[in-house]
Amino acid sequence: MGARVLVVEDAEAIRTAVLSGLTAAGFDAAGRVDGSALERDLETFRPDLVVLDVMLPGRDGFALLEVVRRHSDAGVLMLTARDGVEDRLRGLHGGADDYVVKPFALAELVARVTAVLRRMGRTPSTVEVGDLLVDAAAGAVSRAGVPIELTATELRLLDYLATQRGRVVGKGQILTRVWGYTEYDPNLVEVHVSALRRKLGEPRLLHTVRGLGYVLRAEA
């Protein structure tokens, strides 16, 4: 299981979507409607990162940010509908590691969570699959020491598949994680997977599991 992420968000639709996206990306994610039990969660769940909505019932996100900073070394990403500079500065000055304004693309939020965790050293920057090296943070991909040039979308796709290496992921999961939406034609995934597969070369690393999705793995 990946890094642990605690999501404190009172809007059920947003909380459910964020948890789904984080889980699909390989994180161990848990959700709460408010921060009434945050101190206990920090001790028992021990999150690597906390996603905090600012507008919460009871203690707001800024108050909860202070709690996290007093009791944990977890990263904090503030999530809010407020687009004011003052709110963003207040969160960042209070110790937040990043700030995402609603409405947002789910793929962007997951990418921000991943970036914060990488900066903190909670997730590896480089992933190895056989002779393939993927360092999404540096935008570098190579196979057997030979660099591979990818588009930004292909890099996001490969980064996701690499973090899920050995696991079969469906087209819906890929659409949510890489593009941030579920309305796209699944053919979009097929086109990009085919292009990525060609660039990765032989022996094949990116495999199709009929009826289920795709998996990145080095065959024995």
Side-chain angles (χ1 to χ4, degrees):
M1 190 64 73
R4 294 180 297 276
V5 181
L6 179 67
V7 179
V8 187
E9 164 64 67
D10 61 324
E12 183 177 358
I14 295 175
R15 186 176 65 256
T16 300
V18 170
L19 289 174
S20 177
L22 291 171
T23 301
F27 294 108
D28 182 3
R32 303 289 185 267
V33 297
D34 59 39
S36 59
L38 181 60
E39 288 89 346
R40 184 179 64 207
D41 286 327
L42 292 174
E43 181 177 350
T44 58
F45 184 61
R46 300 182 64 82
D48 295 291
L49 184 139
V50 182
V51 177
L52 288 176
D53 183 28
V54 169
M55 300 296 291
L56 289 167
R59 294 181 293 181
D60 65 16
F62 297 121
L64 296 179
L65 172 61
E66 295 179 4
V67 172
V68 175
R69 286 290 161 258
R70 285 199 305 269
H71 298 281
S72 171
D73 62 352
V76 176
L77 185 148
M78 305 294 289
L79 182 63
T80 181
R82 294 178 176 175
D83 196 17
V85 174
E86 290 184 3
D87 282 334
R88 278 180 281 175
L89 291 177
R90 181 180 176 186
L92 294 173
H93 288 165
D97 298 280
D98 204 350
Y99 205 104
V100 175
V101 177
K102 302 175 186 176
F104 55 85
L106 185 56
E108 178 191 3
L109 177 65
V110 175
R112 294 285 193 92
V113 167
T114 302
V116 171
L117 288 169
R118 279 178 173 160
R119 289 199 300 269
M120 296 174 62
R122 302 294 176 90
T123 59
S125 174
T126 302
V127 178
E128 297 184 32
V129 183
D131 59 356
L132 176 71
L133 294 179
V134 182
D135 187 345
V141 177
S142 64
R143 186 164 189 193
V146 179
I148 299 174
E149 295 294 329
L150 301 179
T151 67
T153 300
E154 290 168 348
L155 180 60
R156 289 199 307 272
L157 173 59
L158 180 58
D159 182 39
Y160 174 57
L161 292 171
T163 59
Q164 301 299 305
R165 59 197 179 281
R167 302 172 183 168
V168 177
V169 291
K171 292 179 183 178
Q173 291 173 283
I174 294 173
L175 284 167
T176 299
R177 174 62 180 87
V178 178
W179 282 273
Y181 300 97
T182 59
E183 296 87 358
Y184 285 102
D185 186 338
N187 288 333
L188 182 68
V189 176
E190 295 177 7
V191 169
H192 282 82
V193 165
S194 295
L196 182 58
R197 183 179 283 144
R198 287 194 299 271
K199 291 186 177 183
L200 293 180
E202 297 292 339
R204 180 173 291 189
L205 292 174
L206 181 49
H207 308 273
T208 299
V209 180
R210 191 174 300 277
L212 296 177
Y214 305 97
V215 58
L216 188 72
R217 66 169 177 247
E219 299 286 60

